[in-house]
């Protein structure tokens, strides 16, 4: 993807305008995002032909406030300038109620609310605007910029009061039921404001897109997702440079099918391209096409911290953890004071057991801003790596005190409670994580493992399937569901799930080449011996001895990292893993059983050649006993001798050797 010099200048002008407009409306995060993107755009090299065309753009400088092209709106903004400056100063000082009252005094809002409540013609559905609402009280004649600032301050004030009234995190009264009481006022005000503009004879100025964004945000908080989606989509059409609106749309998209469905109706510009890539990464998608899209964006914005973070997260979700760690390290060197997404970086360092780097990162975050949720999560991960789980819980709770929607803190706190054997608190933490973001497979997976620890396998299977739908190409998901089905005695279904786990792992290996890692040719034959042993054991229980023997032999072959030629992809299973499931991922300090190794931070891929393991030794013992049954004493003796050399199940192997030799001697005597 390449832009001409003139197109690059137009892009920089649009981003400058976005920074000013978002800042005027106190949308600081969107303004920061646009400013960072603007800073990453390289200055174009203009040819002689471009010099004259670019003359006006090169000297482009924004005034203190953006100019409104609509004359009516511009006149209102000029009249309100003094009040607007007063309201914005109140907002900047976090006096949100005072900010709102500059343009919308409480008497006006309460009158609107009481009129609405007494109006029998008012529709009762949430967020459904009526074309004609017979309100007696007229709405104030305000510019859209001032109106947005006042209503947005009202929403923020309600969120602040909601947090103040909430109980202590995970306390006895912390039920998560406290609501923002200002939402109903803002919602009804905007409902009528938009209804007036839908009239056929409306000569009011066209909307600028920011009030649509605010109404969509309010509808999301009221759980009216369908109406919110329509308003947010309209917002990005009217003003595509507000990144906050795109993020709200991202949170409403539940799967890649929905993402592909809405793509044609999005505005055709660079923001849609960035939105698609970011949403696909958040949906845990992988593949060469997505990697190519992120690389194309990096050509336009080579130093953008946001795009570089997307690339690192793409590696992280693809389980290419060493590449992800390197990308995050480079990002940190480029932007050493940026704390955004460093909680993901700490997860990677945790899984890779890079204690010195994690200690450095925790110290860095603490020195920059110890009261940012990301800093608290990083420090909590560090204490967890030291097995100081109570200290880790303390920092995760601190992160949630600062931001109750901090997804990583809820999930990771659940893992720590599991380590502390407090399953009730773990389940509650995972449930709250799911409430924040239902697409977080780690929380669903954590619920599954916690119920598996409690031996409630039916519940565990349900939650594993939820995680599987969000992470369909992760072999860990399939392995967990297969193990759960095995415990429930559903061997046939368990075999199908475990075969898909093997197929999913080979898919992940094949995607690594998309990010410059080693190609899959030398990795495709490698499989998890534990999965192969489980499949063979279930075949043995079903009485299908030939299949069991084939998988036992394949399990033993993994010691050298190879596979037998007679068990190919068709034997593993070729059905598309459209659902998915999980296994116990080993993490530092865990023993690998159902109580350890939670999938909250991600798991690393397998190593080349497993060597002798408990699984391969069990498979070798089974094959030795099978050889005894089939009177293949030479093979049985060889396998039993190898078991003695392995150092696993030595006594049983020695007894088997004695039995083999006695039978061989008996056979020799019989022949004589």
């Amino acid at each position: 993807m390449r832009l001409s010099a003139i197109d690059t200048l137009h892009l920089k002008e649009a981003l400058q305008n976005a920074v000013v407009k978002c800042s005027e409306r106190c949308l600081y995060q969107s303004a920061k995002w646009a400013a960072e993107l603007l800073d990453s755009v390289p200055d174009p090299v203009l040819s002689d032909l471009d010099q004259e065309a670019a003359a006006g753009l090169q000297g482009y400088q924004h005034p203190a406030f953006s100019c409104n092209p609509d004359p009516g709106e511009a006149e209102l903004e000029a009249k309100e300038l003094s009040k607007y400056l007063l309201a914005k100063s109140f907002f900047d000082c976090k006096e949100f109620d005072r900010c709102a009252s500059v343009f919308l005094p409480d008497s006006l809002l309460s009158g609107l609310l009481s009129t609405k409540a007494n109006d029998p013609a008012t529709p009762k559905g949430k967020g459904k605007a009526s074309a004609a609402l017979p309100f007696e009280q007229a709405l104030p004649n305000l510019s859209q910029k001032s109106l947005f600032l006042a209503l947005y301050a009202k929403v923020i004030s309600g969120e602040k009061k909601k947090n103040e009234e909430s109980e202590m995190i995970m306390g006895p009264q912390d039920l998560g039921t406290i609501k923002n009481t200002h939402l109903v006022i803002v919602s009804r005000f905007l409902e009528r404001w938009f209804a007036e503009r839908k009239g056929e004879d409306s000569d009011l100025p066209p909307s600028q897109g920011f009030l649509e964004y605010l109404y969509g945000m309010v509808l999301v908080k009221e759980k009216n997702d369908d109406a919110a989606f329509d308003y947010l989509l309209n917002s990005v059409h009217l003003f595509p440079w507000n990144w906050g609106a795109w993020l709200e749309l991202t949170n409403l998209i539940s799967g890649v099918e929905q993402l592909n469905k809405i793509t044609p109706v999005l505005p055709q510009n660079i923001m849609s391209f960035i939105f698609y890539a970011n949403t696909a990464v958040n949906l845990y998608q992988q593949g060469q096409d997505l990697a190519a899209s992120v690389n194309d964006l990096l050509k336009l914005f080579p130093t953008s911290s946001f795009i570089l973070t997307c690339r690192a997260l793409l590696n992280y979700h693809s389980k290419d953890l060493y590449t992800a760690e390197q990308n995050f390290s480079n990002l940190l060197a480029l932007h050493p004071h940026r704390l955004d997404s460093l909680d993901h970086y700490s997860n990677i360092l945790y899984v890779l057991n890079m204690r010195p780097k994690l200690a450095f990162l925790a110290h860095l975050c603490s020195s920059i801003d110890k009261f940012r949720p990301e800093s608290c999560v990083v420090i909590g991960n560090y204490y967890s790596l030291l097995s100081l789980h109570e200290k880790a819980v303390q920092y995760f709770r601190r992160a949630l005190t600062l931001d109750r929607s901090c997804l990583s803190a809820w999930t990771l706190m659940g893992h720590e409670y599991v380590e502390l054997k407090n399953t009730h608190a773990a389940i509650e933490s995972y449930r709250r994580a799911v409430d924040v973001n239902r697409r977080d497979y780690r929380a669903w997976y954590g619920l599954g493992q916690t119920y598996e620890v409690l031996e409630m396998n039916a519940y565990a299977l349900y939650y594993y399937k939820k995680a599987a739908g969000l992470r369909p190409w992760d072999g860990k998901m399939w392995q967990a569901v297969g193990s759960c089905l095995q415990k429930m005695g559903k061997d046939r279904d368990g075999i199908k799930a475990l075969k898909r786990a093997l197929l999913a792992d080979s898919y992940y290996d094949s995607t690594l080449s998309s990010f410059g890692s080693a190609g899959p040719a030398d990795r495709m034959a490698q499989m998890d011996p534990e999965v192969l042993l489980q499949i063979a054991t279930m075949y043995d229980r079903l009485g299908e001895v030939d299949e069991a023997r084939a998988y036992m032999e394949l399990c033993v072959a993994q010691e050298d990292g190879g596979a037998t030629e007679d068990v190919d992809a068709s034997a593993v299973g070729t059905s598309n893993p459209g659902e998915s499931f999980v296994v116990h991922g080993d993490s530092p300090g865990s023993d690998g059983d159902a109580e350890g190794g939670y999938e909250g931070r991600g798991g690393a891929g397998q190593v080349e050649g497993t060597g002798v393991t408990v699984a391969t030794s069990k498979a070798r013992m089974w094959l030795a006993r099978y050889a005894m049954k089939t009177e293949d004493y030479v093979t049985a003796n060889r396998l039993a001798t190898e078991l003695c050399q392995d150092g696993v199940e030595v006594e049983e192997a020695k007894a088997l050797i004695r039995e083999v030799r006695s039978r061989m001697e008996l056979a020799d005597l019989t022949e004589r």
Side-chain angles (χ1 to χ4, degrees), residues 230-296:
D230 293 337
Y231 277 96
L232 291 169
L233 191 61
N234 194 20
S235 174
V236 298
H237 273 280
L238 292 168
F239 186 73
W241 302 99
N242 178 14
W243 183 242
W246 292 104
L247 282 182
E248 291 290 345
L249 277 175
T250 296
N251 294 333
L252 290 176
I253 294 176
S254 58
V256 68
E257 297 83 6
Q258 186 181 5
L259 175 61
N260 293 330
K261 184 179 179 181
I262 71 160
T263 299
V265 300
L266 295 175
Q268 300 304 304
N269 54 36
I270 188 65
M271 293 297 290
S272 295
F273 195 74
I274 297 174
F275 161 77
Y276 186 92
N278 178 63
T279 305
V281 170
N282 286 331
L283 292 172
Y284 311 110
Q285 299 301 300
Q286 302 93 28
Q288 296 183 3
D289 292 341
L290 182 55
S293 297
V294 174
N295 289 332
D296 285 342

Side-chain angles (χ1 to χ4, degrees), residues 162-325:
K162 171 186 169 183
N163 290 332
E164 291 170 352
E165 294 171 5
S166 298
E167 295 289 332
M168 180 182 67
I169 298 294
M170 297 292 289
Q173 302 299 321
D174 182 26
L175 305 177
T177 56
I178 306 297
K179 302 297 183 183
N180 182 343
T181 56
H182 291 176
L183 291 180
V184 62
I185 300 173
V186 176
S187 178
R188 290 177 178 178
F189 191 104
L190 288 173
E191 178 184 350
R192 183 175 177 193
W193 192 88
F194 283 111
E196 290 181 353
R197 276 154 177 76
K198 289 181 180 178
E200 297 180 358
D201 55 346
S202 175
D203 56 352
L204 297 171
S207 182
Q208 301 167 0
F210 286 98
L211 288 170
E212 283 83 356
Y213 161 62
L214 180 60
Y215 196 23
M217 184 169 61
V218 170
L219 291 171
V220 167
K221 293 180 183 297
E222 292 180 340
K223 309 298 183 185
N224 192 353
D225 291 348
D226 292 338
F229 191 89
D230 293 337
Y231 277 96
L232 291 169
L233 191 61
N234 194 20
S235 174
V236 298
H237 273 280
L238 292 168
F239 186 73
W241 302 99
N242 178 14
W243 183 242
W246 292 104
L247 282 182
E248 291 290 345
L249 277 175
T250 296
N251 294 333
L252 290 176
I253 294 176
S254 58
V256 68
E257 297 83 6
Q258 186 181 5
L259 175 61
N260 293 330
K261 184 179 179 181
I262 71 160
T263 299
V265 300
L266 295 175
Q268 300 304 304
N269 54 36
I270 188 65
M271 293 297 290
S272 295
F273 195 74
I274 297 174
F275 161 77
Y276 186 92
N278 178 63
T279 305
V281 170
N282 286 331
L283 292 172
Y284 311 110
Q285 299 301 300
Q286 302 93 28
Q288 296 183 3
D289 292 341
L290 182 55
S293 297
V294 174
N295 289 332
D296 285 342
L297 287 172
L298 281 173
K299 293 176 183 177
L300 295 179
F301 311 102
T303 60
S304 168
S305 57
F306 174 77
I307 306 299
L308 289 171
T309 300
C310 283
R311 184 175 67 175
L313 290 176
L314 190 54
N315 295 129
Y316 176 38
H317 296 159
S318 300
K319 299 199 286 191
D320 190 3
L321 297 186
Y322 287 100
T323 304
E325 191 279 326

Side-chain angles (χ1 to χ4, degrees), residues 430-451:
Y430 291 136
R431 291 192 187 281
R432 298 290 285 273
V434 168
D435 290 339
V436 172
N437 185 354
R438 299 188 67 82
R439 298 174 311 185
D440 181 27
Y441 77 96
R442 303 170 305 170
W444 291 112
Y445 172 83
L447 282 168
Q449 279 202 319
T450 307
Y451 278 109

